[in-house]
Amino acid sequence: MARICSAWKCPYLLLLLLPLLINATAREMQQPSSLPDTIKRNTLELEKRKPASRPLRTRHYRTKPLAETFQTVREDHAVEAGALRADIVHRNAPSSPFRLSNKTRLERVHETIMRDKLRVASIHGQINQMVNGFTTSSNSGHQTKIPSEDFQAPVVSGLSMGSGEYFVRVSVGTPPKSMYLVLDTGSDILWLQCAPCTNCYHQTDAVFDPSKSSTYSSLGCNNKICLNLDVNGCQANKCLYQVDYGDGSFTTGEFATDAITLNSASGGGQVILSKIPLGCGHDNEGYFVGAAGLLGLGKGPLSFPSQVDPQNGGRFSYCLTDRDSDSSERSTLVFGDAAVSSSGARFTPQVNNPRVSTFYYLKMTGISVGGTLLTIPNSAFQLDSMGNGGVIIDSGTSVTRLQNSAYAALRDAFRAGTTSLAPTAGFSLFDTCFDLSGLASVDVPTVTLHFQGGTDLRLPAENYLIPVDNSNTFCLAFAGTTGPSIIGNIQQQGYRVIYDNVRNQVGFVPSQCD
């Protein structure tokens, strides 16, 4: 007969079981169900989500003549001038010229999500084209206005029709003409609508007329800048460009150079950057919400940062304030020395994708909810040898997309830590929403994104639990994806995000928008 004894009476059995007990305990501690006992929390003040009533300290645009507004004008590159600055405005800020006052919050959020879906699809399509040699975009209905034999391939941008969320105020030409351009780290080319227009959509500012700029200069077809385009358009020895988007919108025209004028970050007036490459679009189609064009801040050789500081690839930073209010702090875009000089910045290395040159890839190492590191497969954030997957940080995507297994872990842990809140039906791509009616504030689990090098992006509560209507319905502002993960601008809000292409790194500084 076999003898049965307990672990306490058989010490050798206890030694065998001890490792299993330790491992089981460790696994249990990582499960979302344990979060309510150990959870770290943020407080979301619901009143703070209302638009601020105090007046703006600085407007996002100027109407005074140049001579009355600035003391000096210098002609330099940013690397020599020290630093440049431009103001940024979100399309839905109360003072924004792009805000439609007759729209409800529900309608604006719905439109943002629809634009976001188009943008994410466009980013995925661009990566698929570069990595696999094909595109998933559906622009077969677009008729190229320039003879097809002049183009070897379309230029595909990260911007989908109307997906611009933040706009930057810059001046183009001599004398300088102020205009709003979409701020976009997912595109390389700076382009704007130009007269005469074969076809131009409506924009807030007057359409730029190159014939009235003394510094405008067309590029020849054999110019090295023209040859750096993904297309080699040529007509009457003038370099031509064409940008097609995933939804069929496009811009076509001459590729040229002109002066770009920005503010000096030191407060010493303005800095004029000469001979900056730009697309002068005479045929443009799409709903770009009144913007005059696009400021490409990507990593490619034709991007604006690369042209401002060609030897180093450019250094710039931006800080995006609350998208729903006119805060006393300003959203600003800074180039040069001041862009990387913020004290307290924590940096993480950029990851090189040899097949995709435009986007900024980072190595995410994990996600914590309520202070507990989630169990997520390493493959969820990895960039494979073919250039698929990985994690992109992007100014034009609003809602952060996480690879499906990572999102499921985040969502389940967040739900486990919010059992005291009243759940409600999902909204569009959001599947975790709450009815916070009658509450002035709520405590929610902390959410932290971890990156290589020990860099943590600790999110304020308003960066991941956002209102979607005027009835106090709030949703978790993340979504799943089968493509690469994308860190969107809702999660970047309130941080100065530093793109240091000299040292090939990206940094984060909290509360540095002033």
Side-chain angles (χ1 to χ4, degrees):
M1 179 181 293
R3 188 176 68 173
I4 301 175
C5 67
S6 70
W8 307 113
K9 293 181 179 180
C10 301
Y12 62 88
L13 182 59
L14 180 60
L15 292 175
L16 291 174
L17 291 175
L18 188 58
L20 297 176
L21 292 172
I22 292 174
N23 288 338
T25 302
R27 286 195 301 271
E28 184 178 351
M29 290 178 64
Q30 293 183 3
Q31 295 304 312
S33 59
S34 67
L35 282 172
D37 297 327
T38 60
I39 194 166
K40 294 181 180 179
R41 296 183 178 274
N42 276 343
T43 299
L44 177 65
E45 301 287 349
L46 304 189
E47 293 299 318
K48 290 184 178 180
R49 306 305 301 168
K50 294 181 179 180
S53 59
R54 58 181 178 272
L56 276 176
R57 183 171 54 194
T58 302
R59 297 294 293 180
H60 290 295
Y61 50 90
R62 295 178 170 88
T63 57
K64 293 182 179 180
L66 182 66
E68 296 179 19
T69 308
F70 299 100
Q71 299 173 351
T72 61
V73 175
R74 295 178 295 163
E75 188 162 349
D76 270 323
H77 272 52
V79 66
E80 301 163 348
L84 307 170
R85 185 176 70 184
D87 289 340
I88 303 171
V89 60
H90 188 269
R91 68 159 68 211
N92 285 334
S95 67
S96 169
F98 309 107
R99 179 185 173 101
L100 298 177
S101 58
N102 61 331
K103 297 283 186 179
T104 65
R105 184 194 294 273
L106 183 69
E107 290 171 325
R108 289 197 297 270
V109 173
H110 179 73
E111 290 174 355
T112 295
I113 290 174
M114 295 306 297
R115 290 190 301 267
D116 226 37
K117 288 180 178 179
L118 289 173
R119 174 154 184 109
V120 170
S122 182
I123 289 175
H124 289 177
Q126 181 175 359
I127 293 173
N128 284 336
Q129 183 185 34
M130 293 181 176
V131 171
N132 303 313
F134 65 87
T135 179
T136 58
S137 62
S138 56
N139 58 357
S140 57
H142 164 50
Q143 255 189 345
T144 303
K145 303 298 183 179
I146 300 170
S148 58
E149 61 269 21
D150 290 337
F151 285 87
Q152 297 179 354
V155 179
V156 182
S157 168
L159 180 74
S160 286
M161 180 179 71
S163 69
E165 293 296 306
Y166 286 94
F167 302 85
V168 61
R169 190 72 167 168
V170 302
S171 296
V172 182
T174 306
K177 301 295 183 183
S178 294
M179 60 189 68
Y180 283 103
L181 300 178
V182 174
L183 183 151
D184 189 13
T185 59
S187 299
D188 287 331
I189 295 175
L190 187 168
W191 65 265
L192 56 145
Q193 295 198 115
C194 287
C197 283
T198 303
N199 180 37
C200 283
Y201 59 85
H202 173 74
Q203 65 180 59
T204 302
D205 303 296
V207 173
F208 181 73
D209 187 347
S211 67
K212 296 181 179 179
S213 172
S214 62
T215 47
Y216 180 88
S217 178
S218 299
L219 290 173
C221 299
N222 294 322
N223 188 287
K224 64 179 182 179
I225 297 176
C226 183
L227 297 177
N228 269 331
L229 287 166
D230 290 341
V231 299
N232 287 320
C234 186
Q235 194 172 63
N237 198 32
K238 288 186 178 181
C239 182
L240 305 175
Y241 83 99
Q242 180 167 309
V243 180
D244 286 298
Y245 301 98
D247 54 11
S249 56
F250 63 91
T251 174
T252 295
E254 297 177 2
F255 208 60
T257 64
D258 208 338
I260 303 293
T261 303
L262 296 173
N263 300 343
S264 170
S266 63
Q270 287 194 321
V271 178
I272 300 175
L273 306 174
S274 59
K275 299 181 180 179
I276 297 297
L278 54 84
C280 197
H282 300 288
D283 190 357
N284 318 282
E285 189 170 299
Y287 181 58
F288 292 98
V289 200
L294 181 145
L295 184 67
L297 300 175
K299 291 189 66 176
L302 290 179
S303 73
F304 186 71
S306 296
Q307 295 302 314
V308 170
D309 191 2
Q311 293 183 344
N312 297 312
R315 297 162 296 171
F316 68 95
S317 67
Y318 55 70
C319 196
L320 309 176
T321 55
D322 191 331
R323 61 205 294 119
D324 289 326
S325 69
D326 280 334
S327 170
S328 60
E329 294 182 323
R330 289 175 294 170
S331 293
T332 55
L333 173 66
V334 179
F335 297 91
D337 297 338
V340 297
S341 63
S342 298
S343 61
R346 297 293 300 272
F347 287 91
T348 185
Q350 295 180 24
V351 178
N352 180 48
N353 187 340
R355 294 175 179 263
V356 182
S357 63
T358 297
F359 299 113
Y360 293 91
Y361 283 85
L362 306 178
K363 184 175 182 180
M364 185 183 287
T365 57
I367 302 173
S368 292
V369 173
T372 298
L373 185 65
L374 303 180
T375 301
I376 299 173
N378 291 332
S379 59
F381 303 130
Q382 286 181 345
L383 185 67
D384 67 23
S385 59
M386 295 298 295
N388 294 299
V391 179
I392 296 167
I393 183 167
D394 180 47
S395 67
T397 301
S398 292
V399 178
T400 288
R401 302 313 205 275
L402 297 173
Q403 196 271 344
N404 282 328
S405 63
Y407 172 68
L410 167 63
R411 176 199 60 205
D412 293 347
F414 192 81
R415 286 177 177 176
T418 52
T419 54
S420 62
L421 302 181
T424 189
F427 176 85
S428 187
L429 58 81
F430 299 139
D431 61 7
T432 301
C433 300
F434 306 92
D435 181 1
L436 304 184
S437 300
L439 300 175
S441 66
V442 294
D443 289 335
V444 292
T446 58
V447 175
T448 302
L449 309 182
H450 303 286
F451 297 93
Q452 184 180 14
T455 298
D456 294 338
L457 191 59
R458 297 182 177 91
L459 302 179
E462 58 266 24
N463 282 27
Y464 55 89
L465 193 60
I466 65 170
V468 297
D469 59 23
N470 290 326
S471 301
N472 274 337
T473 301
F474 283 68
C475 296
L476 181 65
F478 289 86
T481 183
T482 57
S485 297
I486 305 173
I487 308 301
N489 58 49
I490 291 177
Q491 282 64 43
Q492 298 173 47
Q493 216 171 248
Y495 279 85
R496 180 157 292 280
V497 184
I498 303 169
Y499 296 78
D500 184 355
N501 295 323
V502 177
R503 295 180 175 86
N504 206 38
Q505 59 187 3
V506 172
F508 302 98
V509 189
S511 303
Q512 289 289 319
C513 288
D514 206 4

